[in-house]
Amino acid sequence: MEIVGSRRKALHYDAVSTIPLYRSAPALEVRLEDFELFAMDRLRVLKGISDALSRGKKPEEMQQVERDLWKANMKHPEASEVVNKDIISHFVLRLAYCRTEDLRKWFLSMETALFRYRFMSESVEAQRALMAEFDLPYKAVSNAEFESTKDKLWQVARSVVPPLSTADTVFYKVPFEEVPELVAGRRVFVHKGHAYVARNQVVSLVATQFRSHLSKALILTNRKWISTIREQESDRLAPIVEALCTSYLGPDYSEPRELGDISIKEIDQIAQSSFPLCMRHLFEKLREDHHLKHGGRMQFGLFLKGIGLKLDDALAFWKAEFSQKVGAERFDKEYAYSIRHNYGREGKRTDYTPYSCQKIISSSPGAGDHHGCPYRHFSEENLRAALGKMRLNNRAVEDVMDKVRSRHYQLACTLTFEAIHGTSCDAGINHPNQYFTDSQKYLQSK
Amino acid sequence: MTREDIESGSQDMVIDEGKPEGGERMQGNAAPEGFNVNYLKVYYGKLFPHADMFKWMSYGNDGKHPACDQSYFGRREFSFTLDNDIYLRFQSFNSASELENSIKEKCPFKIDIGPVYSVDPAKRHAYAQSGDNVFAPVERELIFDIDITDYDDVRYCCSGADVCLDCWPLMTVAIKVIDASLKDDFGFNHILWVYSGRRGVHCWVCDGKARRLTNEQRASIAEYFRVYKGNENSHKKVSLSDPLHPFLGRSYTEVLKDFFESKLLLSQKLFSTEERYEKILEMIPDESITSELRGKWQDNKRSSISKEDTNVVRWEQLKRILQSGKHKAQGPQMCVKEIVFSFTYPRLDMEVSKHMNHLLKAPFCVHPKTGRVCVPIDPNCCEEFDPTSVPTLSKLLEEMNTGSLRADIDNVLLMPEWDRTSLGKSVRFFRSSFLQPLLKACKEEIENSYNAKLQHSKNSLNW
């Protein structure tokens, strides 16, 4: 796979079956941006599967979960590029997740689960083609043989828990040693050295093979990473790869929120009720000083964009404040440009996304700055005061301070949210815009 | 079994006193019972079938065919347990005579057979633990070990190391169930069943396919055979599905049901005391049923009319109530089968089968505590096998001395020693039923793979 600047060249990919098997890195070229974006989209799918599994979703439900996640994240405007995105994203994640035992284990489990659900959704012919790809020399049981063994096959089907559907008449005859799990559980009829595997059971076999191939590939990838790639790509791909595992994956709030746009008139009110502490602080300081330094403008400005403030309204808002300090002309000359820039109307035309908690927490506000995460960057005294102003009771304040001391800043913010709204926030706060959306949702449901 | 048992058997080892070495002659050729080193020496010198063991362990690689693997036999591990519990592992030999000489010289109390390794075990220290150049097992028979002490909670006639003709049939039944499945279900052909010398049986599955199974595959077969799950703390140790898997169904209708009802019920008197029938009642989940039955049996009530055995009567009563359909819950329906399985279904030692490097005692060894030879058992007529009449070391020596056993044959002295004793029958059976068919199959396999390779290289030379 070749990573290039911004040139693009589509190449053929011989799709033998609908699900790619990721046997070897394909001869595709990919843009640097796509390198990261595709991987993050796929990571959302894998994390979504991981979440659903840990919430105890049943296998039947998981197939639908996978379908929804895939549809939501793995599309591409050009239909021909969908498969490429699938493949590229897998291989990029291999790089990211080959580096430690724990990462490999997680990636292996999720990719295998993903493969399993996709396989189950395929047609019979596609499944057969995939089985052939895995060198699973499975012959379907002939009609004659089926007739003579079907009583036993159905007896087995009804003896297992949960029972297999006896409507399924497709069975594969397989050397018993190739399906040890099924034999061990007495989930197959075994005769003269062959196991008779129902179509539904074949999924496990294919998934096992997939997993074993990927497991070996990950080890090789890790070796390559350590020996050559990490060094060679230390200022291009390596930072992207290393960040992938910890990146924020929630909604990026670049789309205007469904709840409709905000007008400037509403800002004061919603700031009181629904802004997280970091944004309340910035807003307060903006109102107080009629100014914010660059870090604060970025953090707060993008947040406002995320909650639905349109460009024109934003310009008016900031102008109203700043012109009290620097005057209207200077505002137009020096500050308006960067606001338009944030909205993607200037220069590179990148539509910047509001900062996530992770990003905010890791920033380093200096003298005169008000951005950053109060739970991290404020002194204990100032933080207590701020929480008091939000009308948290003593008990809640202590709980929050407790979290702060153990450096769980997002949990501290979550507790604040819960204390103010009087409701629980199971998902935890990961993004200021999420805090805002959840808050609005809750308030409007009352 | 790979370790000496540390328990007090009811039969202590008899210690010889003041016996001269060599040919013992006491009054009327009788020799003392049990086991001693001198007898063992003679046994290894004259009776132990060294050549047959070598042929077996070579699996056809005897050097006569160009495709033979000359290193094969030398890569097999043997272990010897000597007098005073000295344990020698990783013994290996490069020829039949090396094996024979070492056994005769060391006179081991027990010989264990291990796997065939990737290299000669004697050279193992030169190889890594992992990576490409390893010392690891590459072939090993699929083995099973069934020990009657695992059935102690369901046999009342004996316990511990003892075995009698009332409880030995549990082993017979185990052989029948497992043997049928190994052949019919798994398609294996070269199976050797051996008496372990005291209280159990071993099974050696020697097909090439079996020898090449991985640990995971072995475990899966052992699990396929496992039904009994539990210990002293659980009441219900057998839980069966309805319908049964065909393997269990067949075992039940062809072997277990009949054995339970016509043999075990009576020989173990399973319902004859309150303690015994309570154990069975524990397996029934329905209180109303158990109290009804208890009501019938308490205080040894008996129907005065019936002349039948109490155990049979009570079993019939139990079956009638459970199968009457009065209690519609699924539990009672399967209870009858679960009770039968609890008592009769084979209980394997799972660990023995699961790992390629597990050692197992070699056939034709002599058990140090009983003096009995570990002879093969014919699965086709295993009901006839009587552990109490298996030849002992002293009996064999006696037979050798008198030479009278095969007086019917003219040229008795031209026969090998073992054939002049009751060991002869076992060795002949070992050869004809097991070794010869096995070697024939091995030769064919070697021949076929050789021809396939030739064909392949011919094809690749075609331009």
Side-chain angles (χ1 to χ4, degrees), chain A residues 12 51 62 114 166 213 241 265:
Chain A
H12 297 298
D51 282 344
M62 285 307 297
L114 174 63
T166 48
H213 285 170
V241 165
K265 294 193 276 283

mmCIF file of all heavy atoms in Angstrom, chain A residues 12 51 62 114 166 213 241 265:
data_model
loop_
_atom_site.group_PDB
_atom_site.id
_atom_site.type_symbol
_atom_site.label_atom_id
_atom_site.label_comp_id
_atom_site.label_asym_id
_atom_site.label_seq_id
_atom_site.Cartn_x
_atom_site.Cartn_y
_atom_site.Cartn_z
ATOM 1 N N HIS A 12 -7.457 -1.252 -9.721
ATOM 2 C CA HIS A 12 -8.388 -2.376 -9.696
ATOM 3 C C HIS A 12 -8.157 -3.224 -8.472
ATOM 4 O O HIS A 12 -7.042 -3.381 -8.005
ATOM 5 C CB HIS A 12 -8.178 -3.266 -10.928
ATOM 6 C CG HIS A 12 -8.464 -2.567 -12.197
ATOM 7 N ND1 HIS A 12 -9.702 -2.070 -12.503
ATOM 8 C CD2 HIS A 12 -7.664 -2.270 -13.236
ATOM 9 C CE1 HIS A 12 -9.656 -1.509 -13.691
ATOM 10 N NE2 HIS A 12 -8.443 -1.606 -14.159
ATOM 11 N N ASP A 51 -18.571 -2.335 22.513
ATOM 12 C CA ASP A 51 -19.535 -1.809 23.486
ATOM 13 C C ASP A 51 -20.774 -2.678 23.560
ATOM 14 O O ASP A 51 -21.249 -3.010 24.641
ATOM 15 C CB ASP A 51 -19.984 -0.403 23.079
ATOM 16 C CG ASP A 51 -18.931 0.630 23.428
ATOM 17 O OD1 ASP A 51 -18.045 0.297 24.231
ATOM 18 O OD2 ASP A 51 -19.006 1.752 22.887
ATOM 19 N N MET A 62 -26.651 -8.908 17.617
ATOM 20 C CA MET A 62 -25.340 -8.380 17.203
ATOM 21 C C MET A 62 -25.245 -8.217 15.693
ATOM 22 O O MET A 62 -24.581 -7.315 15.202
ATOM 23 C CB MET A 62 -24.210 -9.281 17.699
ATOM 24 C CG MET A 62 -23.905 -9.159 19.176
ATOM 25 S SD MET A 62 -23.614 -7.465 19.704
ATOM 26 C CE MET A 62 -22.141 -7.047 18.771
ATOM 27 N N LEU A 114 -16.510 -9.072 13.859
ATOM 28 C CA LEU A 114 -17.024 -8.348 12.699
ATOM 29 C C LEU A 114 -17.150 -9.286 11.503
ATOM 30 O O LEU A 114 -18.177 -9.315 10.812
ATOM 31 C CB LEU A 114 -16.068 -7.188 12.358
ATOM 32 C CG LEU A 114 -16.363 -6.406 11.080
ATOM 33 C CD1 LEU A 114 -17.703 -5.721 11.171
ATOM 34 C CD2 LEU A 114 -15.270 -5.378 10.817
ATOM 35 N N THR A 166 -34.083 -27.452 12.303
ATOM 36 C CA THR A 166 -34.037 -28.642 11.453
ATOM 37 C C THR A 166 -34.515 -28.320 10.054
ATOM 38 O O THR A 166 -34.555 -29.169 9.184
ATOM 39 C CB THR A 166 -34.911 -29.770 12.049
ATOM 40 O OG1 THR A 166 -36.176 -29.212 12.405
ATOM 41 C CG2 THR A 166 -34.271 -30.361 13.289
ATOM 42 N N HIS A 213 -5.410 -16.794 10.885
ATOM 43 C CA HIS A 213 -4.606 -16.082 9.880
ATOM 44 C C HIS A 213 -4.228 -14.696 10.367
ATOM 45 O O HIS A 213 -3.078 -14.264 10.247
ATOM 46 C CB HIS A 213 -5.400 -15.925 8.567
ATOM 47 C CG HIS A 213 -5.484 -17.194 7.799
ATOM 48 N ND1 HIS A 213 -6.293 -17.352 6.704
ATOM 49 C CD2 HIS A 213 -4.864 -18.382 7.948
ATOM 50 C CE1 HIS A 213 -6.171 -18.575 6.240
ATOM 51 N NE2 HIS A 213 -5.308 -19.216 6.971
ATOM 52 N N VAL A 241 -0.551 6.618 13.438
ATOM 53 C CA VAL A 241 -0.782 5.249 13.894
ATOM 54 C C VAL A 241 -0.810 5.169 15.410
ATOM 55 O O VAL A 241 -1.689 4.555 16.011
ATOM 56 C CB VAL A 241 0.316 4.324 13.320
ATOM 57 C CG1 VAL A 241 0.344 2.998 14.048
ATOM 58 C CG2 VAL A 241 0.084 4.112 11.845
ATOM 59 N N LYS A 265 -29.458 35.447 21.030
ATOM 60 C CA LYS A 265 -30.273 35.839 22.178
ATOM 61 C C LYS A 265 -30.323 34.724 23.207
ATOM 62 O O LYS A 265 -30.373 34.958 24.407
ATOM 63 C CB LYS A 265 -31.695 36.159 21.733
ATOM 64 C CG LYS A 265 -31.792 37.387 20.838
ATOM 65 C CD LYS A 265 -33.226 37.849 20.670
ATOM 66 C CE LYS A 265 -33.946 37.079 19.582
ATOM 67 N NZ LYS A 265 -33.573 37.510 18.217
#
